[in-house]
Every structure is written in C-alpha cells, then in structure tokens.
Amino acid sequence: MSPQLIELLATSLLDTLLLVGVPSLIAVLVGIPMGVVLVVTARGAMLQNLAVNRSLGAVVNITRSVPFIILMVAIIPFTRLIAQTSIGTTAAIVPLSVAAIPFMARIAENAMREVDAGLLTAARAMGASPLQIIMKVLLPESLPGLVAATIVTVISLIGYSAMAGAIGGGGLGDLGIRYGYQRFLPEVMLAVVVVLVVLVQVVQGFGDWLVRRMSHR
C-alpha cells in the first residue's frame, strides 16, 4: 500500500476507536443502571414494580430486535437533532449508542441475576436499604460479570462500527467500502479485516485477563 493509504488506515483506525469508545462509555453509564432497574423491579425483587419492569423490558427488547443497519436509517432525524448531521463519525456515534444501551442493559441484567440471592437476603435482614444493597452487594458481587458484559458490548460495537461505514459512518468500515470495494483495492480490504481482527483479539484478551483478576479477588 502507498503511504497515503497507510495514513488513511491509521486515521480510520482512530475514527473506529472513537466510534467504539464513546458508545461503550455511554452504554456503561446508561445500560448498567437500566439493568439494575430490570433486576430490582422484577417479580419478587426488593423493589417489585411489574409495570416499570415490563415497560422497560419491552423497550430493551424492541430496540435489540431491530437490525443495526435499519436502526441507523430509522433514527436519522434523531441523529440530525443530536449531531447536526447524519453522516460521518460524529453522526454514527448516535445510532451506535442507541444500539449499545439496551444490549448492555440486558446482559448486565443477566450478570446481576447470577448474584447469590442469599447475599441480598442477608443484607436486607441486617437492615440495609435498597440503595445500600445495590451499591454494596449487587454491583460489587456482579462486577466480573459486568466487565465481561462490557467486553461483549465493545466487541459488538466494533462490528457495528464497520457496518456503519457502509452508509458513510466513517472508520475502518468506510475505508474498506470506499477503497477496498468501490476502487477495487483488495489489499486495502485485507488490511481493514486484519486490523479489525487484531482489535477484537486485543479487546477480548484484555477483557478475559481483567475478569480472571476480578474473579480471584
């Protein structure tokens, strides 16, 4: 590849890191609290509220059911409202975040449901408030699972970010489409695939190491 294409590859990688990093952070900050609400408002839980649980669960399920490429197109008006544009890296962050939040919420919920119910019961018996139980028992005990859920979300976002490039979302996907496919440069497409595979392996390896460290506290 020419120096110009190598520079484009480096720039596209930085764009992909932005496309993955910002939605991942938003997914953690919004998705985990949503997962907490789903757990504590379920039937028989400490703050049982079936109306809230079913309503939030329906929103999560509906959003997760929409294929990402369709979601990107469907929320273009919302993307324009937030990002003032519907193309480019900044614009793609909006649908990526919208897709990541319910994904994170559901797998975070599953991670928190793995916490031993006896620990929650014991904390309640000792007079702990629901907030104390959530902050001092539920979240700390489910931390390895939440980290694993975050890693799964990040890896999914890497794939989504490449897909976003198909409609002008920027990043490695955009580079692969514009140069590898439209300009018939297979070496560019190969380079994009290799970089994406390496990126996924690095994230997964780091995530596995972090989960092991936390699991052996």
Side-chain angles (χ1 to χ4, degrees):
M1 287 192 297
S2 67
Q4 180 185 8
L5 287 177
I6 292 175
E7 183 179 348
L8 280 172
L9 185 64
T11 302
S12 297
L13 175 59
L14 291 176
D15 286 344
T16 293
L17 294 177
L18 181 64
L19 286 170
V20 173
V22 175
S24 296
L25 178 60
I26 293 172
V28 168
L29 295 177
V30 180
I32 291 180
M34 286 176 63
V36 170
V37 173
L38 288 169
V39 170
V40 301
T41 60
R43 186 183 299 276
M46 55 184 163
L47 296 175
Q48 176 179 311
N49 189 320
L50 297 184
V52 170
N53 187 271
R54 289 170 181 168
S55 299
L56 184 57
V59 171
V60 168
N61 290 337
I62 291 170
T63 309
R64 289 183 64 204
S65 300
V66 180
F68 178 68
I69 196 73
I70 295 176
L71 178 66
M72 279 192 72
V73 175
I75 66 169
I76 282 177
F78 179 68
T79 299
R80 284 203 188 103
L81 178 66
I82 299 298
Q84 305 302 311
T85 181
S86 60
I87 59 173
T89 302
T90 302
I93 287 173
V94 177
L96 284 167
S97 300
V98 171
I101 288 170
F103 185 87
M104 182 69 188
R106 188 59 78 185
I107 54 179
E109 176 197 8
N110 292 337
M112 286 181 277
R113 288 193 185 281
E114 295 297 318
V115 175
D116 186 356
L119 293 174
L120 304 180
T121 302
R124 191 183 306 180
M126 288 187 291
S129 67
L131 181 60
Q132 289 175 323
I133 294 174
I134 291 169
M135 300 303 296
K136 296 184 178 181
V137 181
L138 184 62
L139 290 176
E141 290 296 323
S142 62
L143 189 57
L146 293 176
V147 171
T150 302
I151 296 303
V152 171
T153 302
V154 170
I155 291 174
S156 298
L157 282 169
I158 292 173
Y160 288 167
S161 70
M163 198 184 306
I167 57 174
L172 290 167
D174 183 50
L175 179 66
I177 293 294
R178 286 192 295 116
Y179 286 85
Y181 177 70
Q182 294 177 350
R183 301 190 187 186
F184 304 103
L185 295 173
E187 67 272 19
V188 176
M189 185 67 78
L190 178 61
V192 167
V193 171
V194 169
V195 172
L196 286 172
V197 169
V198 170
L199 187 58
V200 168
Q201 292 302 314
V202 169
V203 171
Q204 186 66 66
F206 175 72
D208 290 344
W209 172 82
L210 196 56
V211 170
R212 285 196 300 270
R213 287 291 300 272
M214 290 181 171
S215 297
H216 294 119
R217 290 180 303 174

